[in-house]
Amino acid sequence: MTDQLPIFKARVTEWLIILSIFAVLLSSVLLFALSTADGTAAAGYYGANASDVQFSLLMFYAAVASFAVVERRFFARVVTKDYLLICILLEVLIAYWCYHTREIWLIFALRFLQGIVNCGLTSISLNLLFSRLKSEHAKETGYTIFYGMILCVSPVTALFSVPVVENFEYNVVYKAIIFCFLPSAALLFCIMNRVHVLRKTPLYKIDWMSFVLFATMLVLIAYVLVYGQQYDWLDDSSIQFCIFAILFLFLVSVARQSTLKRPAVDLSVFKSRNFAIGIVFLVILYVIRGAFSLTSSYFITVLGMDSLHANEIMIFNIGGVVAGSVIAIRFLIRQKHLRVLWVMGFIFLFVFFLWMCQLFATEAGTRNFYLPLFMQGLGAGMVMSPIVMFIMSSVPEKLSQSASSVGIFVRFSTFSLSLAFINFYQLYFKGKHNDDLRSSLTLLDFNLPYRLKMYQAALSSKGMPSDEAGKAAISLLNKAVQKQTFLQFCVSYYEWIAVLCLLSIMLIALQPVISRTVINLRNKQPAAAGF
C-alpha cells in the first residue's frame, strides 16, 4: 500500500473488520451455486430443463475464469473503496434484474455479468483478508480459509435458499441474496478509508481481446459439455460447430499469448515440471469432487428426503472440511512432508467412496452417513488448498498471476467435464441396469404379481377404485425400477471414482518432488477468484 492512511479507520476494532470481510466473502461464495441450489425448483420456475440450470451455473463460472486475466488491472488502478462501491451497486442491480425476469436466456446473460462482478468482490475480500493476517504464512492461511469455504458452497447455499424456495417463488432467492449481501458490503464500505490496497498502476493497454477470446471459448466449452449428451454429441451440427470454434479459439489464444510482449497468461508456466504435476492432481481432484454431488442426489431421489433435510446432513461434511483445512494449514506452516498430507487426504476420499458403495440402499438410516460424510470433507480439506498452493509455489513470482489464471481455467474445464461425465454415465448405467431389471420382470417372475397386488391393495385401502389402482400399481412399479437403476448407477460410478483415488495415491507415492517443494506465497499476489 502506497498511501499514508491505513486501509481501515483507526477506531474500528479488529474483530469487526474480520467479520465484515468474511461476511462479504461468504455472500460472494453463495452467489456461485445460487442457481443450482434447488435445480428442480429453478427449472420449474423458468420452464427450463436440468441442463439449462447447469449451464446458468457454468456461465457464472466462465465469467469468473475469463475476467480474472484483466481484473487485477482495475483493482490496482481504482481506489479500493470506490471499486468496492462499484461492485456493490452492480451486484445489487443484477440480482434485482434476476428477480424480475423469467426468461432463461436472460438469466444466462445476467449470471455471466454476476460472475464478472463477483470476480472483483472476491479479489477485494481476499486482499483485505490477507492484509489483516499478520503472520509469516498469512497467504497460506487465507487461501486455506477461502478454499475451505468453496468446498462447503453447495450445502451452505442450499441451507440458505431451500427454505426460501419452499415458502416463496424461486425468484425470491435473488431478493434474499440482496438482503444477505447488502448489509455486510455496506459495513465493509463504511469502515474503509479511500486508499489503494495494491500499488497504483495506469489503466491503459488492457488486454480486452484476451478476455473476449477466453470468455467465448469457456462459454462454448460449457455449452458442449452440458448440452452434448442432450443433442447426441457429434450428430448435432451446433455441437460440431462449437467444437471447431473451441479448437480455433484455443489455437488463436495460444498464438496470441506467445507473441504478446506482456501476455495475460505467460505460457512459460508450463515449463515447470511441478506446475504440470500440480495441474494433473487438480484435474483429478475436481473430477472426484464432482462425483460427491451424487450423494445429495441419492438422499433426495432414493431415500426420499426433502432438499433441506438432505443438506442438513451435509453439516457433518462441513465439519470434516474445517478439520481437514486445519490439518492442512498446520502441515504447510510447519513445512512438513506435503506428500504425506496428499496421500492421507486421498486415502480418506478412497475410503469414503468404497464405504458409500456399501451404504447405498433403497432404505437406510441417516446416522449411517454421518462418519463417511465427515471423512469425505476431511480428505477434501486436506488436499484442496495444498494443491492450489503447490501450483502457485512451483513458478517464479513474476509468473504467479499467470499460474493463477491457468489454474482457474483448468478448474472450470474440469468442473464442466465432471458434470458431463455424470450426465453421460448416468444415462449409460441407467440404461444398462434398466434393461437388466426389466428383462427379469416377466410374468414368470413370482415376485412380480405379488408386488403388483401389494401396490394395488395399498392404493385400494386408501379409497382408490380397483381399476385405477391397477394402473397406478404399474406406475409405482416403474418408479421402483427407476429408483433401483439410479441406485446401481451411483454404486458403479463411485467404484470408478474409488479406482481413480487409488491411482492418485500411487501417483503421489511415485512423485518425491512433491515433498521437496516448499510452499511459499509470501511475495505472490492472490488470484482474483477461483471456485
Side-chain angles (χ1 to χ4, degrees):
M1 190 184 67
T2 59
D3 302 78
Q4 296 298 320
L5 283 173
I7 299 175
F8 294 95
K9 295 178 179 178
R11 291 178 295 178
V12 181
T13 58
E14 189 66 22
W15 67 266
L16 184 60
I17 294 173
I18 297 295
L19 178 64
S20 61
I21 295 172
F22 267 102
V24 173
L25 193 57
L26 179 60
S27 301
S28 301
V29 169
L30 286 176
L31 278 168
F32 174 68
L34 192 65
S35 59
T36 57
D38 195 327
T40 303
Y45 181 79
Y46 295 111
N49 54 44
S51 298
D52 294 329
V53 176
Q54 289 181 347
F55 188 65
S56 68
L57 170 68
L58 293 181
M59 287 293 286
F60 183 98
Y61 205 162
V64 172
S66 56
F67 191 67
V69 299
V70 296
E71 186 277 336
R72 187 169 181 78
R73 294 291 301 276
F74 287 94
F75 193 1
R77 177 63 179 87
V78 184
V79 173
T80 304
K81 187 171 184 177
D82 297 345
Y83 189 35
L84 176 63
L85 179 61
I86 293 170
C87 291
I88 293 171
L89 294 176
L90 289 175
E91 200 71 86
V92 171
L93 288 173
I94 295 170
Y96 189 70
W97 198 352
C98 289
Y99 169 72
H100 278 288
T101 185
R102 299 191 71 149
E103 299 293 336
I104 189 64
W105 64 268
L106 186 55
I107 289 295
F108 292 157
L110 293 175
R111 288 289 289 171
F112 187 86
L113 294 176
Q114 270 189 334
I116 291 177
V117 178
N118 192 268
C119 186
L121 279 173
T122 309
S123 181
I124 294 170
S125 301
L126 282 177
N127 279 278
L128 291 178
L129 178 62
F130 292 162
S131 72
R132 309 318 298 173
L133 299 174
K134 304 299 185 182
S135 67
E136 184 182 358
H137 298 279
K139 286 189 170 63
E140 288 87 339
T141 304
Y143 268 120
T144 303
I145 293 171
F146 177 64
Y147 282 102
M149 294 174 68
I150 294 301
L151 288 172
C152 304
V153 63
S154 293
V156 171
T157 306
L159 290 172
F160 166 80
S161 62
V162 170
V164 177
V165 173
E166 288 183 348
N167 294 282
F168 305 95
E169 289 196 66
Y170 178 80
N171 64 325
V172 178
V173 296
Y174 289 105
K175 183 184 285 188
I177 199 68
I178 292 175
F179 288 112
C180 176
F181 165 76
L182 197 55
S184 56
L187 174 62
L188 183 60
F189 176 80
C190 291
I191 63 177
M192 289 181 64
N193 288 314
R194 293 190 76 257
V195 298
H196 286 273
V197 173
L198 301 182
R199 184 173 61 85
K200 184 178 178 180
T201 57
L203 190 62
Y204 65 93
K205 293 184 179 180
I206 294 179
D207 193 2
W208 287 108
M209 185 54 65
S210 292
F211 165 65
V212 172
L213 290 173
F214 292 151
T216 306
M217 182 173 63
L218 295 183
V219 169
L220 291 177
I221 289 173
Y223 181 85
V224 169
L225 293 178
V226 170
Y227 293 105
Q229 183 70 45
Q230 181 178 327
Y231 296 146
D232 294 327
W233 297 103
L234 294 177
D235 291 338
D236 183 78
S237 58
S238 65
I239 298 297
Q240 293 177 4
F241 172 79
C242 288
I243 291 175
F244 284 123
I246 290 168
L247 293 174
F248 175 75
L249 290 171
F250 175 77
L251 293 175
V252 170
S253 297
V254 170
R256 191 170 182 278
Q257 298 304 315
S258 301
T259 56
L260 287 176
K261 183 178 180 181
R262 295 182 180 86
V265 178
D266 194 331
L267 299 180
S268 61
V269 294
F270 291 99
K271 294 180 180 178
S272 169
R273 179 192 175 192
N274 286 9
F275 181 81
I277 292 173
I279 290 296
V280 169
F281 284 107
L282 189 64
V283 170
I284 293 173
L285 177 61
Y286 263 69
V287 172
I288 293 172
R289 183 186 171 219
F292 181 58
S293 63
L294 288 180
T295 302
S296 297
S297 299
Y298 162 74
F299 290 152
I300 297 170
T301 304
V302 178
L303 298 185
M305 297 182 187
D306 59 86
S307 297
L308 183 60
H309 186 200
N311 284 282
E312 284 176 346
I313 298 175
M314 291 296 172
I315 292 176
F316 290 91
N317 183 254
I318 294 174
V321 170
V322 173
S325 298
V326 170
I327 294 172
I329 197 60
R330 296 305 299 170
F331 261 79
L332 295 173
I333 290 176
R334 295 186 178 185
Q335 300 291 331
K336 296 294 183 180
H337 292 294
L338 195 60
R339 189 165 54 159
V340 174
L341 180 66
W342 287 18
V343 168
M344 289 170 56
F346 278 104
I347 286 176
F348 282 125
L349 293 172
F350 172 71
V351 172
F352 164 77
F353 287 109
L354 281 187
W355 197 346
M356 287 301 295
C357 289
Q358 303 301 316
L359 292 177
F360 281 139
T362 53
E363 296 181 1
T366 56
R367 292 185 178 181
N368 296 331
F369 299 99
Y370 293 166
L371 184 56
L373 289 175
F374 180 86
M375 185 174 294
Q376 196 279 341
L378 184 65
M382 290 173 67
V383 297
M384 178 68 169
S385 58
I387 288 177
V388 173
M389 287 184 274
F390 177 85
I391 292 173
M392 292 287 292
S393 299
S394 64
V395 297
E397 180 183 342
K398 64 179 181 179
L399 298 178
S400 61
Q401 196 63 30
S402 295
S404 298
S405 299
V406 172
I408 298 173
F409 296 153
V410 169
R411 290 196 292 274
F412 167 84
S413 301
T414 312
F415 181 79
S416 305
L417 188 63
S418 178
L419 291 178
F421 277 159
I422 291 175
N423 292 338
F424 175 78
Y425 285 111
Q426 182 171 358
L427 186 63
Y428 170 78
F429 282 121
K430 285 180 71 174
K432 180 178 180 297
H433 294 314
N434 198 40
D435 291 341
D436 293 342
L437 281 170
R438 290 185 183 279
S439 64
S440 65
L441 292 176
T442 66
L443 292 176
L444 297 177
D445 187 351
F446 295 108
N447 290 325
L448 179 59
Y450 171 75
R451 180 64 66 89
L452 288 173
K453 287 181 181 179
M454 184 180 67
Y455 286 149
Q456 188 172 1
L459 294 170
S460 298
S461 66
K462 300 293 184 180
M464 182 178 290
S466 179
D467 57 338
E468 293 184 12
K471 296 178 182 178
I474 296 175
S475 177
L476 289 176
L477 181 63
N478 286 330
K479 288 183 179 179
V481 170
Q482 292 174 5
K483 183 182 292 187
Q484 189 65 34
T485 54
F486 178 79
L487 186 63
Q488 291 181 345
F489 154 67
C490 291
V491 173
S492 299
Y493 195 75
Y494 270 27
E495 286 175 347
W496 284 26
I497 297 299
V499 172
L500 181 60
C501 290
L502 185 59
L503 291 175
S504 302
I505 294 168
M506 295 171 62
L507 285 174
I508 295 169
L510 295 173
Q511 294 292 338
V513 70
I514 294 174
S515 286
R516 291 200 295 266
T517 301
V518 177
I519 302 299
N520 179 19
L521 305 178
R522 199 173 309 163
N523 298 319
K524 297 177 181 178
Q525 296 298 332
F531 291 93

